[in-house]
Amino acid sequence: MRWGTASADDRMVEIAGDPDGGELLEISMGPHHPSTHGVFRMNVQLEGERVMRLKPVFGYLHRNHEQIAEKVSYLASIPYTDRLDYLCSMTNNWAYALSVEKLAGIAVPERAEYVRVIVAELTRLQNHASLIGFLMQDMGASGTPLMYAFREREKILDLFEQLSGARMMCNYMRFGGVRVDPSADWLNGVRALTGAFPRFLNEFEKLLMENEILISRTQGVGVLSRELAVNAGITGPMLRASGVNYDVRKVDGYGIYERFQFRVPLGEHGDVYDRYMMRVLEMRESVKILEQALAGIPGGPVMDPKARLRGLRPKAGEAYGRIESPKGELGFFLISDGTTNPYRYRVRPPSLINLTVLEDMCLGRSVADIVVTLGSVDIVLGEVDR
Amino acid sequence: MLGEGIVKGLGETARNFFGSFVGKERLTTVQFPEERLIQPEATRVFPFLIYDTDDMEKGLRCVACKICEVECPPKCITIEKSTEKKPDYAGKPQFFPAKFDIDVSVCMSCQICVEVCPFEAIKMDTAFELSTDDRFGGLLWQKDRLAKPNAYYHTIHPTEAAAVDEELAEKKAKAEAKPAAPAANTGAAAVR
Amino acid sequence: MTQALDQIFVTFKHWAVFHSPAAFQPAVSVLLSIVPVLIIFPSLFAVTTILERKGLARIQNRYGPNRVGPFGLLQPLADGLKSLTKEDIVPRSADKLVHFAAPLLLVTTAFMEYAVLPVGRNMVLADMESGVLFFFAVSAAMELSIFMAGWSSRNKYSMLGAMRAVAQMISYEAPLILSSVAAVMAAGSLSTVTIVEKQAGYSGIWPHWYVLTPWGLGGFLLFMIAATAESNRSPFDLPEGESEIIAGYFTEYSGFKFALFFLGEYLGMFAISGLGITLFLGGWAAPFSFLTWIPSWIWFFGKLLALIAMFIWVRGTLPRLRMDQLMNFAWKFMLPMTLMVIFSAGLWRFLPQGVLRWVICAVPIAGLYVLLGRNLTSGQRLEKRTYGFAE
């Protein structure tokens, strides 16, 4: 349909040329948009309501994270990693600490490993809960599931504040352990939360899982095939929703994950509903891991008392440390040249790599599905743009 | 059957609606500023300097070693060493900062300055209602604003402050036990 | 006494008309009918905005607005003041006349719909022989104003929103009207006054409301779902889908015109709920025969408030449907159901009274519901899934 002549007033309307000779409507969704999870822009070419091409444009939040890390010491990079995926600061810290420990050959005491697992699983819980809330918000459920998810998230953030002093930018892990030893009170707080969480999950599921509108809007939408997922390097719940059994916690067994019994949920269809259910099931598995960790946590120091905090100079070499963050495989590649600053510091951002298949998932579907599909990819712009 | 899930969802919402009048669990809003949340002890906002006794100049613990300035990730601390020395808690003459500035608009509350300070001189404050309309000068805090007494530290972080006081007392006791030995040595050397 | 209280407004009007000079009597009579409508329903709109915000807030575990006035009850005043003092921006390339006229048309037609709603015993503005027909004719004019708004703004998003809105509203007109046909058939007249009077009797303590029959229950539910779609309320609010196309057809409106759009939308919502009450819930009739001492207009507004609460409840719970799913739902589910409801209403008329009549009329509706439900969900492979785990 022609939109009239493109004059200087109609700058938003661009009648894009289509190689087949038709005419496509090009709209730009974002960067100021209520549903793009941050400053993210998508140039979409539509024919009627169907998507013909989709080009993601990002970089609006680029903050030179990797450049900064080359100029400051290893210790000073830890607060910057908090701000990568700003919802999951604990897991970001852990991935970085893991890489540096690999690079410098530092050992971690056992109690610290347990504490790391506990805070990482708590992070996973609050990330998945808020993600499901955001997905429902994008679908127009006027914020009700979001508020319920945030009610639980507040409890977890309160726990983080009691432990590390800040709710989101925790700056908690150090090379060779964690910064603060959790008190018995704090562990009891986590026990109480773990006991109450399944009840919240049941309520949440009752609100959402069998809702016909949710089902009809998410099943069959944004399908990602197995081959494409593996070829594109997708990781995390998106990969498992397409049926590939790959969870870094099981594959690498970093930390002490081999000691815990938990299952990895797998989906079949690879659509939005599967991804959403992956996260719900993963939350239940996280609760199981938390219970086991809380039961088995030993006493002892959380950091080597002889370890020096400042002036870490790892020997020249390189290391790649990766963990299963709530979004996917988060990895840090470090090259050291023997000085206090790294020579090269590279982040493998799961959100960015998962975003590369957005066009393939959205082709041929309607505009309303773009928003839902983007929500299910689970991006955080701090990680995409760094 | 069609509609079953919707009805269940409606039931869940109704439960939350009526529950919000009954219990605090389903109405979690804290009406700031009339009600306030109790901040946990570990809360950290921006740093401040500690001075013992009541005299800010004489009791300031900071010896201008500049470790925090070097380790600060966004480099928000600026220190200028003084040219004279003054005695510290153990009586030993130390430099002190003539200028100690923290640019609060840059500080990211990471607490690394607190961790690396060997003299327990800089700690994290918990005050957060800090709005100002002076965008440049008002956010560059200088020594007079940053220095606060040890008693204040006890009110905001009681357990931490108690532990720090204990540690400092230990160090002081050890430092006071030591001069007895070298004085004996120098006396013996002079005699010889 | 209760009779006097029930007819208090009618007696006041007669007294006022009687005591005014003969030349002005028609004018006074007309004014005294219209002015209350112009005052009451916008006040109800103001109350509904605050009720909706507080209701949604309580569903979401938070307080609503509670700073302006006690419990936030003066919030609508603040909102009104705000929208009055905002700058009225008209896009440079917009069609100015149509842009100006769209909210006016909306509000005017919304008010016209109240002419045929019997608010209490003997309290209807215009006792027309074809009241229901008039109502539907005027509500179709409301759709025109929405399209005018979207078209005149010369903005891609508004255009998209307006087209979606018009397609949605036209699709849902069919089930809306057909479900009301059942009530009209049972009453035997298009006049709203007659329909309510037919439901105002009691057998024992039970009222004769149409909603208490199987076809009435089905018809009422279908009517309310179609009413939600007609008023662009969640879950059918894709035309104003905030998270996708910003604000749809009223993206380019600011200030008072925006407020007028909201007013028009809410007034339409009240009017169509009012019609639903008139057709199925017995209008101003009391639910039980021992409650007839409460005045009739209190019952009408009570039922209206209950329906508004239902709207708010549904809005707080459900996500919105996509466009093609909306249309599917209207044409493939609601339309056949309404036809079955009409059939069932006809059966009801000719069967003798008793439990058998209830069962015979309920079975076709329930059967078709199950059949269509299965068809709707299976067509797109919507199913309950199970998930495997790896160790």
Side-chain angles (χ1 to χ4, degrees):
Chain A
M1 168 177 177
R2 287 197 77 98
W3 282 101
T5 51
S7 66
D9 299 84
D10 302 7
R11 205 156 301 246
M12 256 215 307
V13 181
E14 275 171 35
I15 301 177
D18 174 40
D20 295 327
E23 267 169 18
L24 302 176
L25 176 64
E26 175 158 353
I27 62 174
S28 154
M29 290 178 78
H32 266 172
H33 198 275
S35 311
T36 51
H37 293 263
V39 276
F40 179 65
R41 181 168 154 215
M42 291 181 280
N43 283 338
V44 187
Q45 285 182 9
L46 299 175
E47 185 179 350
E49 279 241 348
R50 285 178 51 223
V51 174
M52 289 288 129
R53 284 198 58 198
L54 188 149
K55 204 171 66 146
V57 179
F58 43 86
Y60 292 93
L61 196 54
H62 182 63
R63 295 163 293 178
N64 290 312
H65 173 74
E66 294 178 358
Q67 271 279 11
I68 291 178
E70 289 174 17
K71 302 281 183 281
V72 295
S73 65
Y74 289 90
L75 177 69
S77 280
I78 298 183
Y80 285 108
T81 57
D82 276 341
R83 287 143 170 93
L84 269 181
D85 172 3
Y86 37 77
L87 295 177
C88 310
S89 65
M90 293 286 196
T91 44
N92 295 353
N93 286 351
W94 192 1
Y96 179 58
L98 199 67
S99 330
V100 174
E101 282 157 14
K102 263 194 193 173
L103 188 63
I106 306 177
V108 180
E110 196 165 316
R111 185 177 164 92
E113 293 279 18
Y114 272 88
V115 174
R116 281 181 174 182
V117 168
I118 291 176
V119 293
E121 294 306 318
L122 281 175
T123 309
R124 197 180 311 271
L125 283 180
Q126 57 99 8
N127 174 278
H128 287 336
S130 16
L131 177 80
I132 296 176
F134 284 127
L135 194 58
M136 299 304 296
Q137 166 79 358
D138 289 343
M139 279 198 260
S142 81
T144 310
L146 185 62
M147 289 293 137
Y148 297 165
F150 268 45
R151 196 182 65 205
E152 298 306 311
R153 182 168 180 251
E154 284 298 309
K155 299 183 189 158
I156 297 182
L157 291 182
D158 282 343
L159 281 174
F160 283 168
E161 191 177 13
Q162 286 167 18
L163 181 66
S164 79
R167 285 153 49 96
M168 280 167 71
M169 307 292 136
C170 299
N171 186 16
Y172 184 58
M173 312 269 174
R174 292 284 179 267
F175 312 127
V178 296
R179 175 163 57 91
V180 175
D181 192 353
S183 63
D185 274 340
W186 189 83
L187 289 172
N188 286 336
V190 181
R191 280 190 188 99
L193 183 103
T194 319
F197 210 80
R199 208 188 98 204
F200 156 70
L201 274 180
N202 291 340
E203 279 180 23
F204 213 40
E205 278 187 5
K206 216 187 328 176
L207 179 64
L208 298 174
M209 213 163 89
E210 292 171 33
N211 190 335
E212 283 82 8
I213 302 183
L214 173 73
I215 291 181
S216 57
R217 281 211 67 181
T218 53
Q219 285 194 3
V221 171
V223 176
L224 180 66
S225 68
R226 255 185 94 115
E227 298 77 33
L228 183 59
V230 170
N231 287 340
I234 310 288
T235 51
M238 249 178 98
L239 180 68
R240 294 193 281 278
S242 299
V244 180
N245 177 13
Y246 193 82
D247 184 333
V248 183
R249 290 176 292 177
K250 292 275 187 188
V251 168
D252 270 3
Y254 60 92
I256 44 167
Y257 271 109
E258 293 139 350
R259 302 191 199 176
F260 300 120
Q261 296 267 24
F262 62 99
R263 304 178 299 176
V264 173
L266 290 175
E268 268 175 52
H269 302 262
D271 54 12
V272 171
Y273 187 74
D274 270 354
R275 284 179 222 133
Y276 150 72
M277 279 308 293
M278 284 302 105
R279 293 177 171 115
V280 172
L281 294 171
E282 270 184 25
M283 276 202 276
R284 292 199 185 269
E285 299 297 321
S286 288
V287 169
K288 276 196 225 160
I289 299 179
L290 269 175
E291 285 168 0
Q292 294 171 46
L294 284 168
I297 183 168
V302 284
M303 192 135 164
D304 189 0
K306 297 255 194 341
R308 282 180 350 159
L309 203 54
R310 336 171 23 216
L312 178 69
R313 278 172 202 269
K315 285 201 292 288
E318 52 188 56
Y320 178 66
R322 63 181 186 159
I323 62 157
E324 177 80 16
S325 87
K327 309 255 182 325
E329 172 189 324
L330 174 66
F332 282 79
F333 177 63
L334 294 167
I335 302 183
S336 155
D337 54 358
T339 60
T340 50
N341 304 351
Y343 175 73
R344 171 76 173 120
Y345 167 107
R346 155 84 181 148
V347 180
R348 181 208 184 271
S351 302
L352 174 62
I353 298 185
N354 290 352
L355 204 52
T356 52
V357 290
L358 189 63
E359 184 175 4
D360 300 277
M361 290 196 289
C362 289
L363 276 183
R365 313 244 13 146
S366 96
V367 177
D369 289 336
I370 298 180
V371 173
V372 171
T373 312
L374 182 65
S376 75
V377 173
D378 192 3
I379 61 170
V380 166
L381 263 300
E383 209 173 46
V384 170
D385 291 339
R386 277 156 289 135
Chain B
M1 236 193 17
L2 187 70
E4 208 178 310
I6 294 182
V7 170
K8 271 199 203 160
L10 285 175
E12 195 51 47
T13 342
R15 216 170 107 207
N16 270 285
F17 179 78
F18 292 115
S20 77
F21 290 103
V22 171
K24 205 55 169 114
E25 190 220 329
R26 294 200 187 273
L27 185 65
T28 48
T29 317
V30 170
Q31 307 245 57
F32 191 86
E34 289 98 18
E35 309 167 2
R36 277 157 203 264
L37 279 175
I38 303 176
Q39 287 177 301
E41 191 189 318
T43 306
R44 53 176 205 255
V45 185
F46 289 127
F48 72 101
L49 295 171
I50 296 194
Y51 59 87
D52 297 308
T53 70
D54 280 326
D55 190 339
M56 195 261 275
E57 297 292 335
K58 289 226 196 72
L60 200 64
R61 287 187 197 167
C62 175
V63 300
C65 65
K66 296 206 180 196
I67 293 183
C68 58
E69 192 183 16
V70 164
E71 292 292 328
C72 174
K75 304 280 185 282
C76 67
I77 301 183
T78 317
I79 302 179
E80 245 183 48
K81 247 183 169 129
S82 66
T83 41
E84 316 100 30
K85 296 196 180 188
K86 70 164 175 62
D88 72 352
Y89 66 94
K92 203 161 133 206
Q94 301 269 21
F95 285 114
F96 60 92
K99 216 167 70 131
F100 194 110
D101 294 343
I102 295 188
D103 187 350
V104 165
S105 62
V106 175
C107 171
M108 54 176 178
S109 309
C110 67
Q111 214 198 31
I112 284 185
C113 54
V114 172
E115 281 173 58
V116 297
C117 176
F119 297 95
E120 317 284 355
I122 186 169
K123 296 291 172 191
M124 290 309 266
D125 204 349
T126 57
F128 56 90
E129 293 166 15
L130 301 166
S131 319
T132 171
D133 49 5
D134 181 5
R135 215 162 57 146
F136 301 103
L139 291 178
L140 183 70
W141 291 357
Q142 300 183 312
K143 194 170 66 162
D144 49 354
R145 176 155 180 186
L146 287 172
K148 298 205 173 138
N150 195 14
Y152 176 71
Y153 184 40
H154 274 271
T155 56
I156 53 175
H157 298 294
T159 33
E160 236 181 82
V164 164
D165 277 356
E166 224 180 274
E167 221 181 287
L168 285 180
E170 254 181 54
K171 274 201 202 156
K172 187 164 170 182
K174 255 202 261 176
E176 276 169 1
K178 264 181 50 183
N185 273 345
T186 45
V191 162
R192 226 183 297 136
Chain C
M1 207 311 258
T2 55
Q3 176 79 339
L5 193 59
D6 192 31
Q7 299 296 298
I8 190 170
F9 297 107
V10 184
T11 23
F12 170 71
K13 179 176 164 188
H14 284 158
W15 175 90
V17 171
F18 185 66
H19 285 275
S20 49
F24 290 120
Q25 275 186 357
V28 170
S29 166
V30 164
L31 270 178
L32 275 179
S33 301
I34 295 181
V35 170
V37 168
L38 289 179
I39 295 181
I40 291 178
F41 286 100
S43 325
L44 191 61
F45 160 69
V47 167
T48 305
T49 51
I50 183 72
L51 274 182
E52 172 161 32
R53 286 171 71 171
K54 289 196 82 77
L56 277 179
R58 288 277 165 169
I59 290 178
Q60 296 168 3
N61 300 150
R62 56 187 175 90
Y63 296 99
N66 62 356
R67 295 277 152 183
V68 189
F71 296 112
L73 288 173
L74 294 179
Q75 182 75 27
L77 265 179
D79 284 341
L81 263 178
K82 175 200 79 168
S83 60
L84 271 175
T85 53
K86 278 211 171 153
E87 181 188 353
D88 193 20
I89 303 176
V90 177
R92 193 162 24 124
S93 58
D95 189 340
K96 296 215 175 9
L97 182 62
V98 179
H99 191 88
F100 183 75
L104 287 185
L105 180 65
L106 184 67
V107 172
T108 314
T109 49
F111 273 122
M112 278 169 73
E113 291 176 342
Y114 291 101
V116 292
L117 293 182
V119 175
R121 198 173 274 120
N122 303 331
M123 282 167 37
V124 65
L125 217 78
D127 186 359
M128 289 193 231
E129 291 273 329
S130 53
V132 175
L133 186 61
F134 174 80
F135 187 95
F136 286 123
V138 171
S139 77
M142 275 176 68
E143 303 170 15
L144 177 65
S145 70
I146 290 184
F147 193 67
M148 281 165 66
W151 182 264
S152 66
S153 301
R154 284 276 244 141
N155 172 3
K156 207 176 1 205
Y157 284 138
S158 308
M159 193 60 213
L160 258 179
M163 301 196 112
R164 285 172 166 179
V166 169
Q168 173 185 314
M169 289 173 112
I170 291 181
S171 316
Y172 278 91
E173 284 277 338
L176 186 75
I177 296 181
L178 284 176
S179 51
S180 67
V181 162
V184 166
M185 266 170 57
S189 154
L190 274 174
S191 157
T192 46
V193 176
T194 318
I195 295 180
V196 174
E197 279 173 2
K198 283 268 163 64
Q199 299 179 65
Y202 297 93
S203 16
I205 56 164
W206 300 105
H208 285 167
W209 292 0
Y210 291 150
V211 77
L212 297 175
T213 61
W215 57 267
L217 185 61
F220 178 62
L221 287 173
L222 290 166
F223 187 90
M224 289 323 289
I225 296 177
T228 324
E230 284 291 312
S231 344
N232 287 339
R233 295 266 314 173
S234 207
F236 300 106
D237 60 350
L238 196 62
E240 26 176 279
E242 266 170 34
S243 48
E244 285 147 31
I245 46 173
I246 320 302
Y249 52 87
F250 45 74
T251 312
E252 296 292 342
Y253 283 90
S254 56
F256 198 56
K257 292 190 193 144
F258 191 67
L260 276 182
F261 263 111
F262 261 126
L263 177 68
E265 226 179 76
Y266 276 63
L267 284 178
M269 188 174 96
F270 299 154
I272 217 167
S273 314
L275 187 69
I277 294 174
T278 310
L279 290 174
F280 294 100
L281 283 180
W284 42 255
F288 298 111
S289 58
F290 51 82
L291 287 174
T292 45
W293 53 271
I294 299 180
S296 56
W297 37 274
I298 290 192
W299 281 118
F300 182 85
F301 282 103
K303 292 176 199 175
L304 191 61
L305 281 174
L307 282 184
I308 292 173
M310 279 293 308
F311 274 125
I312 296 176
W313 189 16
V314 167
R315 177 179 176 185
T317 313
L318 299 176
R320 66 174 71 96
L321 284 173
R322 211 174 51 210
M323 197 62 197
D324 55 322
Q325 292 165 351
L326 254 171
M327 305 296 234
N328 263 348
F329 188 64
W331 295 106
K332 293 191 192 164
F333 181 83
M334 292 198 49
L335 197 55
M337 286 296 292
T338 49
L339 293 175
M340 185 54 81
V341 162
I342 294 179
F343 174 67
S344 179
L347 275 184
W348 181 271
R349 181 95 169 72
F350 292 104
L351 288 176
Q353 276 212 359
V355 176
L356 193 63
R357 177 164 75 154
W358 236 98
V359 171
I360 292 186
C361 289
V363 161
I365 299 182
L368 188 63
Y369 173 68
V370 171
L371 211 68
L372 285 176
R374 208 167 289 169
N375 179 39
L376 207 64
T377 53
S378 74
Q380 305 150 39
R381 290 186 302 120
L382 301 180
E383 68 242 338
K384 204 153 178 273
R385 297 182 178 172
T386 49
Y387 290 90
F389 293 85
E391 277 308 313

